[in-house]
Each structure stands twice: as C-alpha cells, then as structure tokens.
Amino acid sequence: MTKRLAVLCFAIAPMLLTGIGPMRAQDFDLPPMLDGENAPAASDTGIGPAPTADEDADVATVPDVGAAPPQIDDIPLPDIAVGEIPPIEDEADADTVAQQGEAESGEAGPPILPIGRTSSLHLETRGFRNEDRQGEDRFAGRFSAHWFGRGTVSDNLSILFNLRSRAGWRESRGFRAEDDINLDVQELAAAWDTGNNLLLEAGRINVRNGVALGFNPTDWFKADSLVTIDSQDPGDRREERLGTVVVSAATSLGSTLVQAGFRPDISAARDTVVTDADIVGLNLDRTNPSPAFYAKLSPNLGGNISLTGNVLVENGRLGGGAEVSGTLGNNLVLYGEAFIQHRLNLAAEALEDGTGSAAFRSRIGAADGYETAGQLAIGGTYSLPEAIAKTEDISLSLEYHYNGAGLTGRQLSALAGAAGADRAAAGRVRAFAARAQEPLARHQVFARFAWNDFLGDADFSAIAYYVPDDRSALAQIAASYPYNDNVEISLRAFSVFGSDTSVYGSNPLRNSIQLAVKYTF
C-alpha cells in the first residue's frame, strides 16, 4: 500500500504544477547571522566527506582495484555551479523575517507557511577534463535543465517541486540515451497549512539537518541520495541529492518550533519507475530503504544562540543528537553537532554479506557487531571585519570531524594492505562510505575559505579535507562570475593527494577541471 500511495503521489502532482507560482522549500531551517556579515547557514551548509567519482564524473562510487564495477544509476547526476542552488527570494522574505522577529519578542508565533515567490529555471552546459590515476585524460559533458520552487494552489495548499533533466556524454563510450538521459525528481510534495498553527507536508522532500560545513552527523537521510557529484563542496552536494518520501508536521509551541515526520519503507523490482528504470527511475528504494520516525525541537534561547535537539528511530534502532551554534562578537560563529546511535561500523555494514577473508575482516573491524557509535563535527567561521574587508565578504572556516563508525588508523592500514580477493572487499568498504556520505576515517579535519566579490562580482571558494592517520587529502577551488543578470560562468577544479590505497588518494580521479555556463530565466 505504501508503494502504491507513493507512486500515485508522483503521478498526480506534476499535473497540478501548471500555472502555479512557486515558493521556497525548507524555510524552517534558520541560521544565526553575524551582524553585517553573511554567516554560514544552519540549514544549507555541509553534507559530509567528499565521495569520489568514476573516471567520467558520472557515478558517485569509489571502486578499488578488483572491486565489482559500479552500476551507472547507483548514484544519479549536480548541475549547479559554485556553491548552492540560489534561494528564490523577493519581498515576501522581508515579511517572513519580520514575522520571525515578532516571534522572538513574544508578540506573535513564527510563520508556518511562507507565501508569494516565483520559480527558477536554470539551463546549464558543463564540460569536464578528468585525469585518472594512470595519468590519462578523460573528457565528458552534460546539458541540464533545473526547475524548482513552491507553487500556491490555494491559500492553504502549495506544491513543492525540484525537477532536473540532464543529458550527458562520456568520451570513453559515447552517448547512450538509456544511460545518459535522466529525469531526476529531487523533490515533489504537497504542503497544507491547516490554519491552526500546524503545517503538514507529504511527498519527496530534501530533509536537511545540521550546522557544520564539512560533515553533518544529524543529517540522517543523506545516504545513497546523491544525484550527481560534480562538486566536492558539501554545500553543493547538500542541494544536489534526491529527497526522501516522508509525511511530516511542524508547529510552534510559544516560540519553540516542533517538527516530526515518518519515512516509510519503499521497495520494488529493479528496472521499474519506482526504482532504477532508464531515464525516469525515481530511485525511491534508495532514499527510503527502511522505516524511520524522527522529531526535532528548536527552542528559542534568545541572544545569538541556536539549539536543536533531535531523535531518530530507524529500523527499530534509537538515535539522538543536537545542533548548537552561536556568535561571539560580530565576526566569529562557533558551531557543533553530534549524534549517537546503535549501529554497525562502516566496514561491518559494507561487508555484512561476509565478503572478504576472516583475517582481513577482523583487521578492519568488519567482524564487529552492533555497538553504540557517536559522531561529532565542531568548528567555527571567522569573517574579516568590515574595516578590513570593506564591502567584500571574506571568511575562513575550520572543523574537526569524528566518526565513531569510521576506521581507526590501524584499520586504515589494514584496508590499504588488502591483497588478492580482499582488494575487492576493500573497494566495497570505500564505495559504501562514499555512498553513505560519512568520513571513512575515524578522525579528519576540514577547512573552507570563501571570498565573495573578490574580483568585481565574481565569487571564490576553496575547501580541503585532511586525514591525519594516512596523510591523504582532497582540495577544491571554485569561482563563478555573473556575466549579466541571466548568465553565469563558473570554473571548478579539484585534486587528491596520498597513496593509491589511502582514504582520498584511492579516488579513481587524480584531478578534475570543469567549466560551466548557466542561464537563469
């Protein structure tokens, strides 16, 4: 019954979109802001470590030597240049912020359903030059059309949509329509404001949690959700993924926001619209692999501190966590998030079917059972004061990530030393961590530098991951330039460092350069 309802929802909703003027999704996730500065958003920040790409940047897997070849549709395909899907903003945003200010002063409750926005349509052409570990260049290209927004059906009912069509080409095998043309239904849902301080939503929604930039322990539904992996920046990837089919409710109790939702289990035969059919496969089995219930509580603490507590019950396993962020002065934001759950570690979950020799499985922790594992991301962002930066926005962020389900230094050495048939098992562990969007290593550090308007209206950003245990790293730089009101040109490049068996050095691509031109209607 669950599967039939989900399919019926996706079949009917597109017919309701005609003539609808959209609004904006995820308006409940509000970040603390620095005075006069653009502080990192609590809702639209990172999504985890940088999973790697295949040789033509079309599949988000990390195959090792001897690993089973990945399926083309294992992880679908990003088409946004440098940073984010731009918010759809107009005068209604100011009204929403004003109402939220009233909520903080106790004069009125926070708004449940925002109103009055228009949709955005982006057309983009992107070219790739990728270098593999053997030093050979691989070329690829993609054209995509991305339409997203939220449209008003009535005073109380709206439709959220985030749709992307794309056509790709890879030098290594040419163009095949069944593999290279895709329609990604990233989000498609209905929202109903009951008028009694209660908002109900149902459908495929990108449920985003977390305040950190490089890894989000509280972002529960990120696993196996990536649409494409053009960018290694977590901010891009957070927007480039498939949403989860959920039924959710949100209300305010005084100045406290309360949210709760349920994710049903959806399964179906392969090569169907529900799963991975050519061109129109919804991949609902990937985003809804098991039943889950979640709840979030965001009290108003006043001042410059934001706190959210959350609970997740996934497949009968209880987990809980918290996110906190706050400002110190006018230039520094400190933040952190943590989550703890009874679960398998990454190696045990990846090799749950018994793959690998007994000795190898024992050395990397794949023979361990369920245990309580914690995850943590803490950091801060410093923005240069206006006296130095003038009208520009320059910031530096540093973070430490801990993944209790990741591999220790000793286990990473055992993974790197895999031989014979165990090399395929090692490849599966790396690929699983990439799809789960969790750090493979127990400890890693992350940095991000951003300089908006560094040259005219051009923006620049740079990110880096570093794993101390095996001294591997990944770095990416990106720049975008708005040629005029409609056209944006962007350039992006990344490289990996470390041995061929290290966390980041095992990436099939040594480096990649991308050039994109985007037209916005």
Side-chain angles (χ1 to χ4, degrees):
M1 179 60 72
T2 299
K3 180 181 70 177
R4 292 178 180 175
L5 290 175
V7 174
L8 181 61
C9 172
F10 287 108
I12 293 177
M15 295 185 290
L16 301 177
L17 297 178
T18 305
I20 293 173
M23 299 192 294
R24 183 181 179 183
Q26 302 298 324
D27 293 87
F28 285 112
D29 297 326
L30 299 175
M33 296 300 290
L34 292 172
D35 294 337
E37 301 287 343
N38 293 323
S43 61
D44 298 315
T45 53
I47 64 165
T52 52
D54 76 343
E55 65 180 17
D56 296 301
D58 279 5
V59 182
T61 57
V62 193
D64 196 0
V65 178
Q71 297 299 313
I72 293 298
D73 289 325
D74 271 354
I75 291 190
L77 285 165
D79 299 279
I80 286 298
V82 187
E84 59 185 11
I85 294 179
I88 310 169
E89 297 179 346
D90 61 16
E91 296 177 357
D93 286 334
D95 296 336
T96 299
V97 173
Q99 293 175 39
Q100 289 161 349
E102 293 174 356
E104 293 178 359
S105 65
E107 297 180 14
I112 292 297
L113 189 62
I115 57 174
R117 292 179 174 86
T118 58
S119 66
S120 279
L121 174 62
H122 296 167
L123 301 181
E124 183 185 85
T125 299
R126 180 176 296 272
F128 303 80
R129 198 284 298 172
N130 303 320
E131 180 185 341
D132 62 22
R133 286 190 291 187
Q134 288 70 46
E136 296 184 10
D137 288 340
R138 308 283 185 173
F139 295 90
R142 182 190 306 121
F143 174 79
S144 65
H146 185 202
W147 184 37
F148 60 98
R150 187 191 290 256
T152 301
V153 178
S154 67
D155 290 341
N156 299 87
L157 180 65
S158 65
I159 300 295
L160 160 70
F161 60 94
N162 187 352
L163 312 174
R164 187 193 309 270
S165 62
R166 51 188 168 85
W169 167 84
R170 294 192 280 176
E171 178 192 27
S172 59
R173 60 168 174 77
F175 178 80
R176 294 201 299 256
E178 64 274 18
D179 293 330
D180 298 321
I181 296 179
N182 296 86
L183 172 62
D184 300 319
V185 182
Q186 292 180 240
E187 294 184 278
L188 188 55
W192 179 42
D193 185 350
T194 65
N196 297 311
N197 195 35
L198 176 65
L199 173 66
L200 302 177
E201 292 185 302
R204 177 170 248 178
I205 302 171
N206 188 354
V207 180
R208 297 187 291 264
N209 298 317
V211 293
L213 302 176
F215 169 53
N216 295 108
T218 61
D219 197 17
W220 318 300
F221 301 147
K222 59 182 178 288
D224 209 9
S225 64
L226 287 178
V227 176
T228 51
I229 55 166
D230 298 345
S231 175
Q232 308 296 324
D233 192 324
D236 296 326
R237 294 182 165 203
R238 198 171 167 88
E239 303 295 344
E240 301 300 336
R241 66 191 191 190
L242 297 171
T244 304
V245 176
V246 297
V247 177
S248 67
T251 188
S252 58
L253 303 176
S255 58
T256 298
L257 177 65
V258 180
Q259 297 173 273
F262 174 71
R263 179 189 74 178
D265 175 16
I266 298 177
S267 60
R270 309 305 301 172
D271 199 27
T272 64
V273 172
V274 174
T275 56
D276 59 350
D278 293 338
I279 301 178
V280 295
L282 297 172
N283 291 289
L284 299 180
D285 57 325
R286 283 173 37 193
T287 59
N288 289 68
S290 61
F293 170 82
Y294 61 91
K296 299 169 58 178
L297 184 70
S298 303
N300 180 8
L301 302 181
N304 294 320
I305 298 178
S306 174
L307 173 66
T308 296
N310 52 67
V311 173
L312 174 71
V313 180
E314 184 179 18
N315 223 10
R317 293 179 289 109
L318 177 65
E323 312 160 15
V324 62
S325 59
T327 60
L328 290 180
N330 294 327
N331 303 98
L332 180 63
V333 174
L334 299 178
Y335 51 85
E337 59 181 283
F339 189 73
I340 187 169
Q341 187 181 33
H342 195 63
R343 57 169 291 180
L344 293 172
N345 64 49
L346 290 176
E349 196 166 356
L351 305 180
E352 198 170 4
D353 62 354
T355 300
S357 67
F360 176 72
R361 290 171 56 83
S362 177
R363 289 196 299 270
I364 65 172
D368 297 347
Y370 281 86
E371 57 187 4
T372 301
Q375 297 179 326
L376 173 70
I378 56 173
T381 296
Y382 179 77
S383 297
L384 287 182
E386 186 176 351
I388 299 175
K390 306 300 182 183
T391 60
E392 300 172 7
D393 179 12
I394 304 174
S395 63
L396 175 65
S397 303
L398 297 175
E399 294 179 3
Y400 163 73
H401 302 157
Y402 171 80
N403 184 9
L407 276 64
T408 65
R410 185 185 299 273
Q411 291 169 336
L412 287 174
S413 295
L415 189 75
D422 288 336
R423 300 177 71 184
R428 288 183 58 176
V429 173
R430 295 188 178 100
F432 182 85
R435 290 194 299 272
Q437 298 186 69
E438 293 187 16
L440 178 60
R442 184 72 56 92
H443 308 278
Q444 73 173 16
V445 293
F446 170 81
R448 186 178 193 272
F449 174 77
W451 186 351
N452 294 333
D453 302 326
F454 81 102
L455 184 61
D457 292 326
D459 295 336
F460 173 84
S461 68
I463 65 167
Y465 287 94
Y466 177 69
V467 176
D469 285 324
D470 66 6
R471 300 180 181 178
S472 67
L474 179 148
Q476 174 181 282
I477 59 173
S480 64
Y481 174 71
Y483 182 75
N484 56 36
D485 290 341
N486 303 99
V487 178
E488 180 183 84
I489 302 170
S490 63
L491 180 68
R492 179 186 296 136
F494 80 83
S495 292
V496 298
F497 308 90
S499 69
D500 288 349
T501 55
S502 63
V503 171
Y504 288 109
S506 59
N507 192 328
L509 297 183
R510 279 298 183 191
N511 57 68
S512 174
I513 299 176
Q514 305 168 25
L515 177 65
V517 178
K518 180 176 67 178
Y519 188 91
T520 300
F521 288 90

CSV table of all heavy atoms in Angstrom, one decimal, residues 62-105:
chain,number,residue,atom,x,y,z
A,62,VAL,N,33.4,4.6,-5.2
A,62,VAL,CA,34.9,4.6,-5.0
A,62,VAL,C,35.4,3.2,-5.3
A,62,VAL,O,35.8,2.5,-4.3
A,62,VAL,CB,35.3,5.1,-3.6
A,62,VAL,CG1,36.7,5.3,-3.5
A,62,VAL,CG2,34.5,6.3,-3.3
A,63,PRO,N,35.4,2.7,-6.5
A,63,PRO,CA,35.8,1.3,-6.7
A,63,PRO,C,37.3,1.2,-6.5
A,63,PRO,O,38.1,2.0,-7.0
A,63,PRO,CB,35.5,1.1,-8.2
A,63,PRO,CG,35.4,2.4,-8.8
A,63,PRO,CD,35.0,3.4,-7.7
A,64,ASP,N,37.8,0.2,-5.8
A,64,ASP,CA,39.2,-0.1,-5.7
A,64,ASP,C,39.5,-1.2,-6.8
A,64,ASP,O,38.7,-1.7,-7.4
A,64,ASP,CB,39.5,-0.7,-4.3
A,64,ASP,CG,40.9,-0.6,-4.0
A,64,ASP,OD1,41.7,-0.2,-4.8
A,64,ASP,OD2,41.3,-1.1,-2.9
A,65,VAL,N,40.8,-1.4,-6.9
A,65,VAL,CA,41.2,-2.4,-7.8
A,65,VAL,C,40.6,-3.8,-7.4
A,65,VAL,O,40.8,-4.2,-6.3
A,65,VAL,CB,42.8,-2.5,-7.9
A,65,VAL,CG1,43.2,-3.7,-8.8
A,65,VAL,CG2,43.4,-1.2,-8.3
A,66,GLY,N,39.9,-4.4,-8.3
A,66,GLY,CA,39.3,-5.7,-8.0
A,66,GLY,C,37.9,-5.6,-7.5
A,66,GLY,O,37.2,-6.6,-7.3
A,67,ALA,N,37.4,-4.3,-7.3
A,67,ALA,CA,36.0,-4.2,-6.9
A,67,ALA,C,35.1,-4.4,-8.0
A,67,ALA,O,35.4,-4.3,-9.2
A,67,ALA,CB,35.8,-2.8,-6.3
A,68,ALA,N,33.9,-4.8,-7.7
A,68,ALA,CA,32.8,-5.1,-8.7
A,68,ALA,C,32.5,-3.7,-9.3
A,68,ALA,O,32.5,-2.7,-8.7
A,68,ALA,CB,31.6,-5.6,-8.0
A,69,PRO,N,32.3,-3.7,-10.7
A,69,PRO,CA,32.1,-2.5,-11.4
A,69,PRO,C,30.8,-1.8,-10.9
A,69,PRO,O,29.8,-2.5,-10.7
A,69,PRO,CB,31.9,-2.9,-12.8
A,69,PRO,CG,31.6,-4.4,-12.8
A,69,PRO,CD,32.3,-4.9,-11.6
A,70,PRO,N,30.8,-0.5,-10.7
A,70,PRO,CA,29.5,0.2,-10.2
A,70,PRO,C,28.5,0.2,-11.3
A,70,PRO,O,28.8,0.2,-12.5
A,70,PRO,CB,30.0,1.6,-9.9
A,70,PRO,CG,31.2,1.8,-10.8
A,70,PRO,CD,31.9,0.4,-10.9
A,71,GLN,N,27.2,0.3,-10.9
A,71,GLN,CA,26.1,0.5,-11.8
A,71,GLN,C,26.0,1.9,-12.2
A,71,GLN,O,26.2,2.8,-11.3
A,71,GLN,CB,24.8,-0.1,-11.2
A,71,GLN,CG,24.9,-1.5,-10.9
A,71,GLN,CD,25.1,-2.4,-12.2
A,71,GLN,OE1,24.4,-2.1,-13.2
A,71,GLN,NE2,26.0,-3.3,-12.1
A,72,ILE,N,25.6,2.2,-13.4
A,72,ILE,CA,25.5,3.6,-13.9
A,72,ILE,C,24.6,4.4,-13.0
A,72,ILE,O,24.8,5.5,-12.6
A,72,ILE,CB,25.1,3.6,-15.3
A,72,ILE,CG1,26.1,3.0,-16.2
A,72,ILE,CG2,24.8,5.1,-15.8
A,72,ILE,CD1,27.4,3.8,-16.2
A,73,ASP,N,23.5,3.8,-12.6
A,73,ASP,CA,22.5,4.6,-11.8
A,73,ASP,C,22.6,4.4,-10.3
A,73,ASP,O,21.7,4.7,-9.6
A,73,ASP,CB,21.1,4.2,-12.3
A,73,ASP,CG,20.8,4.7,-13.7
A,73,ASP,OD1,21.2,5.8,-14.0
A,73,ASP,OD2,20.1,3.9,-14.4
A,74,ASP,N,23.7,3.9,-9.9
A,74,ASP,CA,23.9,3.7,-8.4
A,74,ASP,C,23.7,5.0,-7.7
A,74,ASP,O,23.2,5.0,-6.6
A,74,ASP,CB,25.2,3.1,-8.1
A,74,ASP,CG,25.2,1.6,-8.1
A,74,ASP,OD1,24.1,1.0,-8.3
A,74,ASP,OD2,26.2,0.9,-8.0
A,75,ILE,N,24.2,6.0,-8.3
A,75,ILE,CA,24.0,7.4,-7.7
A,75,ILE,C,23.8,8.3,-8.9
A,75,ILE,O,24.7,8.5,-9.7
A,75,ILE,CB,25.2,7.8,-6.8
A,75,ILE,CG1,25.2,6.9,-5.6
A,75,ILE,CG2,25.1,9.2,-6.5
A,75,ILE,CD1,26.1,7.3,-4.5
A,76,PRO,N,22.6,8.9,-9.1
A,76,PRO,CA,22.3,9.7,-10.2
A,76,PRO,C,23.2,10.9,-10.4
A,76,PRO,O,24.2,10.9,-9.9
A,76,PRO,CB,20.9,10.1,-10.0
A,76,PRO,CG,20.4,9.5,-8.9
A,76,PRO,CD,21.5,8.8,-8.2
A,77,LEU,N,22.8,12.2,-11.2
A,77,LEU,CA,23.8,13.1,-11.6
A,77,LEU,C,23.5,14.5,-11.2
A,77,LEU,O,23.7,14.9,-10.3
A,77,LEU,CB,24.0,13.2,-13.1
A,77,LEU,CG,24.7,12.1,-13.8
A,77,LEU,CD1,24.4,12.2,-15.3
A,77,LEU,CD2,26.1,12.0,-13.6
A,78,PRO,N,25.4,16.7,-10.1
A,78,PRO,CA,25.0,18.1,-9.7
A,78,PRO,C,25.1,18.9,-11.0
A,78,PRO,O,25.9,18.7,-11.8
A,78,PRO,CB,26.0,18.5,-8.7
A,78,PRO,CG,27.0,17.6,-8.7
A,78,PRO,CD,26.7,16.5,-9.7
A,79,ASP,N,24.2,19.8,-11.0
A,79,ASP,CA,24.3,20.7,-12.2
A,79,ASP,C,24.3,22.2,-11.8
A,79,ASP,O,23.9,23.0,-12.6
A,79,ASP,CB,23.1,20.4,-13.1
A,79,ASP,CG,23.2,19.0,-13.6
A,79,ASP,OD1,24.0,18.7,-14.6
A,79,ASP,OD2,22.5,18.1,-13.1
A,80,ILE,N,24.6,22.4,-10.5
A,80,ILE,CA,24.7,23.8,-10.1
A,80,ILE,C,26.1,24.2,-9.9
A,80,ILE,O,26.9,23.5,-9.5
A,80,ILE,CB,23.9,24.0,-8.7
A,80,ILE,CG1,22.4,23.9,-9.0
A,80,ILE,CG2,24.2,25.3,-8.0
A,80,ILE,CD1,21.9,24.9,-9.9
A,81,ALA,N,26.4,25.4,-10.4
A,81,ALA,CA,27.8,25.9,-10.3
A,81,ALA,C,28.1,26.6,-9.0
A,81,ALA,O,27.3,27.5,-8.6
A,81,ALA,CB,28.0,26.8,-11.5
A,82,VAL,N,29.2,26.3,-8.4
A,82,VAL,CA,29.8,27.0,-7.3
A,82,VAL,C,28.8,27.4,-6.2
A,82,VAL,O,28.2,28.4,-6.2
A,82,VAL,CB,30.5,28.3,-7.8
A,82,VAL,CG1,31.3,28.9,-6.6
A,82,VAL,CG2,31.5,28.0,-8.9
A,83,GLY,N,28.6,26.5,-5.3
A,83,GLY,CA,28.1,26.9,-4.0
A,83,GLY,C,26.7,26.4,-3.6
A,83,GLY,O,26.6,25.8,-2.6
A,84,GLU,N,25.7,26.6,-4.4
A,84,GLU,CA,24.4,26.4,-3.9
A,84,GLU,C,23.3,26.5,-5.0
A,84,GLU,O,23.6,27.2,-6.0
A,84,GLU,CB,24.1,27.3,-2.8
A,84,GLU,CG,24.1,28.7,-3.1
A,84,GLU,CD,23.9,29.6,-1.9
A,84,GLU,OE1,23.9,29.1,-0.8
A,84,GLU,OE2,23.7,30.8,-2.1
A,85,ILE,N,22.2,26.0,-4.8
A,85,ILE,CA,21.0,26.4,-5.5
A,85,ILE,C,20.6,27.8,-5.0
A,85,ILE,O,20.2,27.9,-3.8
A,85,ILE,CB,19.9,25.4,-5.4
A,85,ILE,CG1,20.3,24.1,-6.0
A,85,ILE,CG2,18.6,25.9,-6.1
A,85,ILE,CD1,19.2,23.0,-5.9
A,86,PRO,N,20.6,28.8,-5.8
A,86,PRO,CA,20.3,30.2,-5.2
A,86,PRO,C,18.9,30.2,-4.7
A,86,PRO,O,17.9,29.6,-5.2
A,86,PRO,CB,20.4,31.1,-6.5
A,86,PRO,CG,21.2,30.3,-7.4
A,86,PRO,CD,20.9,28.9,-7.2
A,87,PRO,N,18.7,30.8,-3.5
A,87,PRO,CA,17.3,30.9,-3.0
A,87,PRO,C,16.4,31.8,-3.8
A,87,PRO,O,16.9,32.7,-4.5
A,87,PRO,CB,17.6,31.6,-1.6
A,87,PRO,CG,18.9,32.3,-1.8
A,87,PRO,CD,19.7,31.5,-2.7
A,88,ILE,N,15.2,31.4,-3.9
A,88,ILE,CA,14.2,32.2,-4.7
A,88,ILE,C,13.6,33.2,-3.7
A,88,ILE,O,12.8,33.0,-2.9
A,88,ILE,CB,13.1,31.3,-5.2
A,88,ILE,CG1,13.7,30.1,-5.8
A,88,ILE,CG2,12.1,32.0,-6.1
A,88,ILE,CD1,12.7,29.0,-6.1
A,89,GLU,N,14.1,34.5,-3.8
A,89,GLU,CA,13.8,35.5,-2.9
A,89,GLU,C,13.0,36.6,-3.5
A,89,GLU,O,13.2,37.0,-4.7
A,89,GLU,CB,15.1,36.0,-2.2
A,89,GLU,CG,15.8,35.0,-1.4
A,89,GLU,CD,17.1,35.5,-0.8
A,89,GLU,OE1,17.5,36.6,-1.2
A,89,GLU,OE2,17.6,34.8,0.1
A,90,ASP,N,12.2,37.3,-2.8
A,90,ASP,CA,11.6,38.5,-3.2
A,90,ASP,C,11.1,39.2,-1.9
A,90,ASP,O,11.6,39.0,-0.8
A,90,ASP,CB,10.4,38.3,-4.1
A,90,ASP,CG,9.3,37.4,-3.5
A,90,ASP,OD1,9.3,37.2,-2.3
A,90,ASP,OD2,8.5,36.9,-4.3
A,91,GLU,N,10.2,40.1,-2.1
A,91,GLU,CA,9.8,41.0,-0.9
A,91,GLU,C,9.1,40.1,0.2
A,91,GLU,O,9.1,40.6,1.3
A,91,GLU,CB,8.8,42.1,-1.4
A,91,GLU,CG,9.5,43.0,-2.4
A,91,GLU,CD,8.5,44.1,-2.9
A,91,GLU,OE1,7.3,43.9,-2.5
A,91,GLU,OE2,8.9,45.0,-3.6
A,92,ALA,N,8.6,39.0,-0.1
A,92,ALA,CA,8.0,38.1,0.9
A,92,ALA,C,9.0,37.7,1.9
A,92,ALA,O,8.6,37.5,3.1
A,92,ALA,CB,7.3,36.9,0.3
A,93,ASP,N,10.3,37.6,1.6
A,93,ASP,CA,11.3,37.2,2.5
A,93,ASP,C,11.4,38.2,3.7
A,93,ASP,O,11.5,37.8,4.8
A,93,ASP,CB,12.7,37.1,1.9
A,93,ASP,CG,12.7,35.8,1.0
A,93,ASP,OD1,12.0,34.9,1.3
A,93,ASP,OD2,13.5,35.9,0.0
A,94,ALA,N,11.3,39.5,3.3
A,94,ALA,CA,11.4,40.5,4.4
A,94,ALA,C,10.2,40.4,5.3
A,94,ALA,O,10.4,40.6,6.5
A,94,ALA,CB,11.4,41.9,3.7
A,95,ASP,N,9.0,40.1,4.8
A,95,ASP,CA,7.9,39.9,5.6
A,95,ASP,C,8.0,38.8,6.6
A,95,ASP,O,7.7,38.8,7.7
A,95,ASP,CB,6.6,39.8,4.8
A,95,ASP,CG,6.3,41.0,3.9
A,95,ASP,OD1,6.7,42.1,4.3
A,95,ASP,OD2,5.6,40.8,2.9
A,96,THR,N,8.6,37.7,6.0
A,96,THR,CA,8.8,36.5,6.8
A,96,THR,C,9.8,36.7,8.0
A,96,THR,O,9.6,36.4,9.1
A,96,THR,CB,9.3,35.3,6.0
A,96,THR,OG1,8.4,35.0,5.0
A,96,THR,CG2,9.6,34.1,6.8
A,97,VAL,N,10.9,37.5,7.6
A,97,VAL,CA,11.9,37.8,8.7
A,97,VAL,C,11.3,38.7,9.7
A,97,VAL,O,11.5,38.5,10.9
A,97,VAL,CB,13.1,38.4,8.0
A,97,VAL,CG1,14.1,39.0,9.1
A,97,VAL,CG2,13.8,37.5,7.1
A,98,ALA,N,10.5,39.6,9.3
A,98,ALA,CA,9.8,40.5,10.3
A,98,ALA,C,8.9,39.7,11.2
A,98,ALA,O,8.9,40.0,12.4
A,98,ALA,CB,9.0,41.6,9.5
A,99,GLN,N,8.2,38.8,10.7
A,99,GLN,CA,7.3,38.0,11.5
A,99,GLN,C,8.1,37.1,12.5
A,99,GLN,O,7.7,36.9,13.6
A,99,GLN,CB,6.4,37.1,10.6
A,99,GLN,CG,5.4,37.8,9.8
A,99,GLN,CD,4.7,36.9,8.9
A,99,GLN,OE1,4.3,35.8,9.2
A,99,GLN,NE2,4.4,37.3,7.6
A,100,GLN,N,9.2,36.6,12.0
A,100,GLN,CA,10.1,35.8,12.9
A,100,GLN,C,10.6,36.7,14.1
A,100,GLN,O,10.8,36.3,15.2
A,100,GLN,CB,11.2,35.2,12.2
A,100,GLN,CG,10.7,34.1,11.3
A,100,GLN,CD,11.6,33.7,10.2
A,100,GLN,OE1,12.6,34.4,10.0
A,100,GLN,NE2,11.3,32.6,9.5
A,101,GLY,N,10.9,38.0,13.8
A,101,GLY,CA,11.4,38.9,14.8
A,101,GLY,C,10.3,39.1,15.8
A,101,GLY,O,10.6,39.2,17.0
A,102,GLU,N,9.0,39.2,15.4
A,102,GLU,CA,7.9,39.4,16.3
A,102,GLU,C,7.8,38.1,17.2
A,102,GLU,O,7.5,38.2,18.4
A,102,GLU,CB,6.6,39.6,15.5
A,102,GLU,CG,6.6,40.9,14.8
A,102,GLU,CD,5.4,41.0,13.9
A,102,GLU,OE1,4.6,40.0,13.8
A,102,GLU,OE2,5.2,42.0,13.3
A,103,ALA,N,8.1,36.9,16.6
A,103,ALA,CA,8.0,35.7,17.4
A,103,ALA,C,9.0,35.7,18.5
A,103,ALA,O,8.8,35.3,19.6
A,103,ALA,CB,8.2,34.5,16.5
A,104,GLU,N,10.3,36.2,18.2
A,104,GLU,CA,11.3,36.2,19.2
A,104,GLU,C,10.9,37.2,20.4
A,104,GLU,O,11.4,37.0,21.5
A,104,GLU,CB,12.6,36.6,18.6
A,104,GLU,CG,13.1,35.5,17.6
A,104,GLU,CD,14.4,35.9,17.0
A,104,GLU,OE1,14.9,37.1,17.3
A,104,GLU,OE2,15.0,35.1,16.2
A,105,SER,N,10.2,38.3,20.0
A,105,SER,CA,9.8,39.2,21.1
A,105,SER,C,8.6,38.8,21.8
A,105,SER,O,8.1,39.5,22.7
A,105,SER,CB,9.6,40.6,20.4
A,105,SER,OG,8.5,40.6,19.6
